[in-house]
Amino acid sequence: MADGSQKDIVEVKVGDVLKGINQNNTVLKLKRNQYRGKVYSINGSDYFVTAGHPFMTTEGWKSFNPQLAMEINPTLDIGQLKVGDILVTDSGNIAVDKLDFIIKSTPVYNFEVSGEKVYYADGFLVHNK
């Protein structure tokens, strides 16, 4: 959240203000869908993200599936996220040491936000789909 607090993704609502890069961004719309497929983990974290979601790295936007990510975000140049990349987080940059996925059914959430179209999710700087 823009004030430094945190909420579980299921608790975020329209009107909440999320921290961006250079400004705060207001949640304009929420999307929740049931998803079955690959769900990814970074550095041994919980499995929390789908293939097409772009992460900011020190080299620009990257995702697990750049082609899918660019279909969703056609104005972005998105590269392949890989071990060795440096991710931008709300507490500093971290190196990607391990990437993994499982196949499962899970609810997935996305926000449409104002302004920069970016926000921090699980500490990672991500782009609005």
Side-chain angles (χ1 to χ4, degrees):
M1 307 304 295
D3 65 4
S5 65
Q6 295 185 4
K7 277 188 180 181
D8 287 337
I9 197 164
V10 299
E11 296 175 5
V12 174
K13 62 186 182 305
V14 171
D16 281 349
V17 182
L18 307 178
K19 180 180 174 184
I21 300 171
N22 299 307
Q23 68 183 57
N24 296 327
N25 302 295
T26 302
V27 176
L28 303 174
K29 187 186 286 186
L30 302 171
K31 298 177 186 176
R32 179 177 187 241
N33 297 303
Q34 191 63 29
Y35 171 80
R36 174 147 181 85
K38 290 181 179 179
V39 181
Y40 292 84
S41 165
I42 299 171
N43 293 346
S45 70
D46 290 338
Y47 294 90
F48 72 101
V49 65
T50 58
H53 211 99
F55 288 82
M56 178 55 81
T57 72
T58 55
E59 297 176 333
W61 294 107
K62 295 190 178 185
S63 79
F64 294 97
N65 183 332
Q67 182 178 353
L68 176 60
M70 287 188 289
E71 288 174 14
I72 297 166
N73 295 286
T75 62
L76 293 182
D77 181 22
I78 303 170
Q80 179 69 50
L81 185 63
K82 61 191 180 312
V83 169
D85 283 334
I86 308 295
L87 292 166
V88 176
T89 76
D90 60 352
S91 59
N93 297 340
I94 63 165
V96 176
D97 297 322
K98 180 181 178 185
L99 298 172
D100 194 20
F101 72 89
I102 59 173
I103 297 174
K104 72 176 196 172
S105 291
T106 186
V108 292
Y109 303 85
N110 194 24
F111 312 126
E112 180 179 326
V113 297
S114 65
E116 301 172 298
K117 309 295 185 196
V118 300
Y119 55 91
Y120 288 88
D122 289 324
F124 299 101
L125 183 59
V126 298
H127 198 279
N128 185 91
K129 281 189 180 178

